[in-house]
Amino acid sequence: EDQVTQSPEALRLQEGESSSLNCSYTVSGLRGLFWYRQDPGKGPEFLFTLYSAGEEKEKERLKATLTKKESFLHITAPKPEDSATYLCAVRTSGNTPLVFGKGTRLSVIA
Amino acid sequence: DAEITQSPRHKITETGRQVTLACHQTWNHNNMFWYRQDLGHGLRLIHYSYGVQDTNKGEVSDGYSVSRSNTEDLPLTLESAASSQTSVYFCASSEGGKAYEQYFGPGTRLTVT
C-alpha cells in the first residue's frame, strides 16, 4: 500500500530560524511528488512538483528537494506569513489519484 | 481568470437528509476530485472523475455519490446525512497526463446535527 508520512506534525520557529520539513514515501513507482500550502479556512494551494531524485525547486524562501525515499521542504529565514500547514502528496504508477500526507503545521513567531 | 468554486460554503443539516454540495471549475480540466478533511486524518479521497460520465470510488466513498454530466461540474451527494459526515469538503481539479497538479476550491464546511 502506498504511504506518505510527514514529520514533524507541528513545528514552531522564530522568525529567521531556518528549518526543514520532511515527507517520506513508500510507493510503487513514483511519478511525481507535490507540495501544497494550506492556510486556515482555505483550500490547499499548489507549490511545487518534483519528478526525479536530485531535482530541486525554489520559490521565495522555500526550496523543495527529492531523493528516492523522501522529500524535504527547506524554509530559509522564515517570516510570520509563512505560517501554514504544508502538505505533500505523491502520484504513483498507473492512472491513480494523489496520495496525501497528513501535513506539517508550521508556526513562525515574530 | 479560471477558477474552481464550491457552494454552499457553510451548511448545517439534520441526520437523514439528502445534501448536495456543488463544485464548478472553469479550467476545462478533465479530472475532478472530492476530499474530506478531518483533524488527525488529513485529506481523504471520496470520489473522483477522469471525464464526463466517468466516476470512481475513493478511500471513503460509503454514503456519498457523484455524477459527471459535463466537464465543469462534479456535485457530491450525501444520500442520508450522518453525524460522522460532519467535515470540511474540498473539491479539486487537474489536467490529465503529466500535468497532474491539483487545484483546490475554497471548501464547504458541513455540519450534520
Side-chain angles (χ1 to χ4, degrees):
Chain A
E1 182 181 332
D2 298 332
Q3 286 193 333
V4 179
T5 303
Q6 292 189 245
S7 62
E9 288 186 17
L11 181 63
R12 188 182 172 96
L13 298 174
Q14 291 295 124
E15 184 173 3
E17 179 186 3
S18 301
S19 188
S20 297
L21 314 183
N22 178 264
C23 173
S24 64
Y25 57 91
T26 307
V27 300
S28 54
L30 182 72
R31 295 184 67 186
L33 186 139
F34 303 79
W35 281 98
Y36 287 82
R37 170 191 170 125
Q38 186 175 21
D39 293 303
K42 297 189 176 181
E45 175 188 348
F46 170 73
L47 291 173
F48 305 110
T49 308
L50 302 167
Y51 291 105
S52 56
E55 189 176 358
E56 299 182 351
K57 292 275 180 74
E58 286 189 66
K59 181 179 181 179
E60 295 180 358
R61 294 176 292 281
L62 301 177
K63 184 169 80 173
T65 62
L66 181 64
T67 72
K68 288 186 178 180
K69 292 294 183 185
E70 59 192 347
S71 176
F72 292 93
L73 185 65
H74 307 277
I75 303 175
T76 302
K79 298 181 177 181
E81 53 262 40
D82 294 321
S83 297
T85 296
Y86 291 87
L87 303 170
C88 81
V90 298
R91 183 187 180 196
T92 62
S93 57
N95 199 17
T96 54
L98 300 183
V99 177
F100 280 84
K102 293 182 180 180
T104 293
R105 189 172 65 256
L106 174 67
S107 300
V108 182
I109 311 303
Chain B
D1 286 346
E3 61 177 356
I4 180 166
T5 57
Q6 295 182 233
S7 62
R9 295 295 313 279
H10 302 272
K11 174 78 175 178
I12 301 174
T13 192
E14 295 178 345
T15 302
R17 291 192 179 266
Q18 184 181 80
V19 177
T20 297
L21 308 183
C23 175
H24 179 79
Q25 54 99 359
T26 58
W27 295 95
N28 201 34
H29 285 163
N30 286 326
N31 304 337
M32 295 185 73
F33 308 85
W34 273 105
Y35 295 88
R36 60 178 290 175
Q37 189 173 43
D38 306 283
L39 278 174
H41 289 281
L43 282 167
R44 291 185 289 175
L45 184 64
I46 305 172
H47 281 287
Y48 59 102
S49 168
Y50 288 145
V52 177
Q53 303 300 332
D54 175 75
T55 61
N56 304 277
K57 293 182 179 181
E59 177 189 2
V60 291
S61 60
D62 287 349
Y64 303 93
S65 64
V66 294
S67 63
R68 186 92 179 269
S69 59
N70 59 53
T71 300
E72 296 80 18
D73 299 288
L74 187 70
L76 177 71
T77 297
L78 287 67
E79 303 294 343
S80 177
S83 57
S84 60
Q85 295 177 308
T86 293
S87 186
V88 180
Y89 292 85
F90 289 103
C91 178
S93 71
S94 73
E95 295 181 29
K98 187 177 182 181
Y100 213 75
E101 296 90 2
Q102 291 183 9
Y103 296 90
F104 284 80
T108 294
R109 181 174 295 277
L110 177 68
T111 302
V112 182
T113 62

